Amino acid sequence: MKVMDMEEGVKDNAASPPPKSRITNQSRALVSIRLLQVLLLFLVLTLGISVVSIHMIKFFKIQDPVSSTTLVSMYDHEAVTLESFLRPPLNVWHTMNDGELLWRASMEPKRHDYPFKRVPKLAFMFLTKGPLPFAPLWEMFFKGHEGLYSIYVHALPNYRSDFDRSSVFYRRYIPSQAVAWGEMSMCDAERRLLASALLDISNEWFVLLSESCIPLRGFGFIYGYVSGSRYSFMGCADEEGPDGRGRYRNGMEPEITLSQWRKGSQWFEINRKLALEIVQDTTYYPKFKEFCKPPCYVDEHYFPTMLSMKHRIFLANRTLTYTDWSRGGAHPATFGKADVTEAFLKNLPGAKACLYNDQRSPVCYLFARKFAPSALEPLLELAPKILGF
């Protein structure tokens, strides 16, 4: 009996593991559970990240670079498209200085074909002291021709325009600097206007006007006349005498010689290629700034000389703006209310013989100056009949 009890006791002791073995098994089970928990947590986090990534892709519109040429800005979330590059700014105001503006305007595509339907525009650049007394006449002139023109106004720095949103001149004043008559600051203002207009890739022709200028024909006629011409309209005469070659200074050599010296009207019309030449120039500008000072009036010599040296065959050697110098003096005649008659306006376009595309033309002038503010009333009355608005 005792033997059996001892054997049973031995069996009981063999069937139950020792305490240390039980603890090891429990630890292994606990580790396995924790590993399973970690794996589950990792799977949840991975799934969450995947869901967030999908939403981010939809939000930023990230596309396959192989299948699309659209670039994405990760800072402002706005895609850079061809349209955003071509769209001209609604407001011509900017924060660039002259050096930055001329540098930016000098950028031009080298390919002659456009990857979009380009409608060439005529840029009207007004060089003024401030107000535009003939704004109502110009408003009538531009009406109905949206998309075919652009407007840029350079006034004195302290001038603030008050045009409302309905006006074609609303927000068309560019950053400006003071201008002195007959000095290089005048050409600086003209280059500022050209550079601002060049920022619009659709601007193909550039007309410089003053606040005392008026149009002599309707927009359609002027657009067709300019766009149909093989030449740009800038004077480049080799004029003898004290007001021509007499203004030349030997210090301009070797860049500019006396035989290359030219003179022309300040008021011009040029195409995009010539406008780029003007804003890109760093060769002739320093010479004119140093040596062409009154009685050498730089606005009559700088552009005509420079462009005639490099692009003479593209210049018509005449201006499109009529000016009356018959009374003599440093400034042309000014026309007031009493001067504006039907016969007077009819005679201005053909006041002088000229060539258009190498053929005689009855129309030589598309604009005229100088007109006093008092001339506005009769001009508005005669415009529909005589000017063809």
Side-chain angles (χ1 to χ4, degrees), residues 95-367:
T95 58
M96 294 179 283
N97 59 38
D98 278 358
E100 294 167 341
L101 175 62
L102 294 174
W103 179 83
R104 173 64 182 84
S106 298
M107 298 180 183
E108 185 75 359
K110 297 302 181 183
R111 296 187 60 166
H112 297 294
D113 56 323
Y114 294 91
F116 62 97
K117 184 179 180 181
R118 180 176 182 262
V119 178
K121 295 193 294 186
L122 185 54
F124 290 80
M125 308 178 302
F126 292 86
L127 181 58
T128 78
K129 295 179 180 179
L132 291 169
F134 295 103
L137 184 68
W138 285 106
E139 297 270 6
M140 187 185 298
F141 171 81
F142 289 118
K143 187 176 181 180
H145 301 283
E146 292 76 14
L148 295 177
Y149 67 85
S150 300
I151 297 173
Y152 304 86
V153 185
H154 186 291
L156 293 177
N158 59 352
Y159 178 76
R160 296 293 179 267
S161 64
D162 57 355
F163 292 104
D164 58 39
R165 291 179 177 270
S166 63
S167 173
V168 296
F169 295 102
Y170 179 69
R171 289 186 174 182
R172 304 313 295 177
Y173 280 72
I174 68 171
S176 63
Q177 295 185 27
V179 174
W181 179 74
E183 296 185 4
M184 198 59 176
S185 58
M186 184 76 75
C187 290
D188 289 334
E190 294 171 9
R191 297 217 303 172
R192 217 169 281 132
L193 282 165
L194 283 170
S196 297
L198 281 167
L199 297 182
D200 186 342
I201 194 70
S202 293
N203 285 332
E204 183 63 27
W205 306 283
F206 305 79
V207 179
L208 182 66
L209 302 163
S210 74
E211 70 268 37
S212 65
C213 285
I214 67 164
L216 296 178
R217 289 296 182 94
F219 181 90
F221 183 93
I222 290 179
Y223 184 91
Y225 193 100
V226 172
S227 62
S229 175
R230 296 197 296 265
Y231 305 99
S232 288
F233 295 92
M234 177 177 287
C236 53
D238 182 6
E239 185 177 311
E240 300 285 349
D243 294 333
R245 288 197 173 199
R247 295 175 177 176
Y248 175 81
R249 297 294 180 268
N250 292 330
M252 293 188 170
E253 293 181 341
E255 288 81 3
I256 307 164
T257 64
L258 178 60
S259 63
Q260 296 170 323
W261 185 253
R262 294 293 183 270
K263 181 181 179 181
S265 171
Q266 176 185 4
W267 315 104
F268 59 79
E269 178 280 321
I270 56 176
N271 62 23
R272 191 173 185 88
K273 180 179 180 179
L274 299 186
L276 283 165
E277 287 287 340
I278 290 176
V279 301
Q280 291 173 354
D281 173 50
T282 57
T283 301
Y284 306 106
Y285 179 90
K287 289 291 184 176
F288 278 94
K289 185 174 184 179
E290 181 178 0
F291 296 105
C292 187
K293 299 178 180 180
C296 175
Y297 302 108
V298 67
D299 52 273
E300 295 181 350
H301 296 281
Y302 175 27
F303 300 158
T305 299
M306 182 189 72
L307 293 182
S308 67
M309 291 171 63
K310 303 175 66 176
H311 304 285
R312 176 65 186 87
I313 61 173
F314 299 120
L315 301 179
N317 192 18
R318 67 181 179 92
T319 180
L320 292 177
T321 302
Y322 173 82
T323 308
D324 183 5
W325 292 97
S326 63
R327 303 178 189 180
H331 299 281
T334 299
F335 305 109
K337 182 177 181 179
D339 298 305
V340 180
T341 63
E342 184 174 334
F344 173 73
L345 292 178
K346 281 184 175 180
N347 290 332
L348 288 182
K352 182 180 179 181
C354 69
L355 297 178
Y356 177 77
N357 287 339
D358 302 321
Q359 302 292 325
R360 289 194 174 276
S361 173
V363 177
C364 297
Y365 297 110
L366 303 181
F367 311 97

Side-chain angles (χ1 to χ4, degrees), residues 26-81:
Q26 290 174 358
S27 299
R28 288 175 179 174
L30 184 61
V31 170
S32 299
I33 293 172
R34 287 182 177 177
L35 284 174
L36 183 61
Q37 290 175 339
V38 170
L39 286 173
L40 288 174
L41 180 61
F42 177 76
L43 289 174
V44 171
L45 288 174
T46 303
L47 181 61
I49 292 172
S50 300
V51 172
V52 172
S53 298
I54 291 172
H55 284 285
M56 288 181 67
I57 289 173
K58 290 182 179 179
F59 180 77
F60 290 118
K61 298 180 180 179
I62 300 177
Q63 301 177 4
D64 181 4
V66 176
S67 61
S68 173
T69 57
T70 302
L71 304 178
V72 177
S73 169
M74 297 300 293
Y75 299 98
D76 56 13
H77 308 156
E78 181 180 354
V80 180
T81 63

